[in-house]
């Protein structure tokens, strides 16, 4: 049994594919903007964390004082809480976009399949199986042939 290795020389980014998907992102523009903003805020907080630690070492440990420690601890805790809430919010936003866009793509695909007459499901009759006599003239439902 021979194993054929997959060819990975194809371009990783194919613009025609993304161009066809972009219209489905339009309803989620605000959510995507919030996701991007929160991601940038979390990245900034990640950059600031070593500065907080340096400040604590320089002003509290080396100076051997606890003056201002309560306000520093409150600011530090506030930043941590903000980052936690930001991560939760942008994760929920990502899930919303992913699930909603997946649903929209499936609905668009189901509509195309039905319109093409490939035996798909009518979006208005979702949940009911496609009739096998779709192409026949509509008449008395008792006379419909189902094989």
């Amino acid at each position: 049994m021979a194993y054929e290795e997959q060819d990975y020389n194809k371009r990783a980014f194919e613009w025609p594919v993304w161009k066809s998907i972009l219209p489905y992102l339009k309803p989620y523009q605000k959510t995507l903007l919030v996701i991007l903003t929160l991601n940038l805020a979390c990245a900034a907080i990640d950059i600031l964390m070593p500065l907080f630690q340096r400040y604590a070492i320089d002003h509290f440990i080396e100076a051997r004082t606890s003056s201002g420690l309560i306000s520093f601890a409150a600011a530090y805790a506030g930043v941590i809480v903000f980052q936690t809430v930001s991560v939760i919010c942008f994760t929920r936003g990502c899930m919303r976009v992913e699930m909603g866009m997946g649903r929209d793509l499936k609905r668009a695909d189901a509509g195309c399949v039905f319109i093409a007459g490939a035996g798909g499901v009518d979006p208005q009759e979702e949940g009911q199986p496609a009739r096998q006599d779709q192409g026949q003239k509509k008449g008395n439902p008792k006379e419909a042939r189902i094989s």
Side-chain angles (χ1 to χ4, degrees), residues 8 10 14 41 52 63 68 71 78 94 99 105 126 129-130 135:
Y8 291 105
K10 294 171 80 176
E14 295 181 15
F52 271 108
S71 60
C94 289
M99 300 306 287
L105 286 169
E126 200 169 297

Side-chain angles (χ1 to χ4, degrees), residues 64-99:
R64 295 182 186 262
T65 182
S66 60
S67 174
L69 182 62
I70 294 175
S71 60
F72 173 79
Y76 189 80
V79 169
I80 296 294
V81 168
F82 175 76
Q83 185 178 29
T84 303
V85 171
S86 296
V87 168
I88 291 169
C89 290
F90 82 69
T91 304
R92 288 179 55 89
C94 289
M95 288 187 291
R96 179 175 174 232
V97 170
E98 181 181 359
M99 300 306 287

Side-chain angles (χ1 to χ4, degrees), residues 35-115:
I35 290 169
L36 179 66
T37 304
L38 291 175
N39 270 324
L40 291 174
C42 286
I45 291 170
D46 285 340
I47 292 169
L48 290 176
M49 280 300 152
L51 298 177
F52 271 108
Q53 294 167 356
R54 183 177 73 183
Y55 181 85
I57 291 169
D58 291 345
H59 288 86
F60 302 118
I61 296 172
E62 286 183 1
R64 295 182 186 262
T65 182
S66 60
S67 174
L69 182 62
I70 294 175
S71 60
F72 173 79
Y76 189 80
V79 169
I80 296 294
V81 168
F82 175 76
Q83 185 178 29
T84 303
V85 171
S86 296
V87 168
I88 291 169
C89 290
F90 82 69
T91 304
R92 288 179 55 89
C94 289
M95 288 187 291
R96 179 175 174 232
V97 170
E98 181 181 359
M99 300 306 287
M101 191 171 152
R103 180 197 63 222
D104 296 345
L105 286 169
K106 285 178 186 174
R107 285 182 180 168
D109 186 42
C112 291
V113 169
F114 180 74
I115 291 169

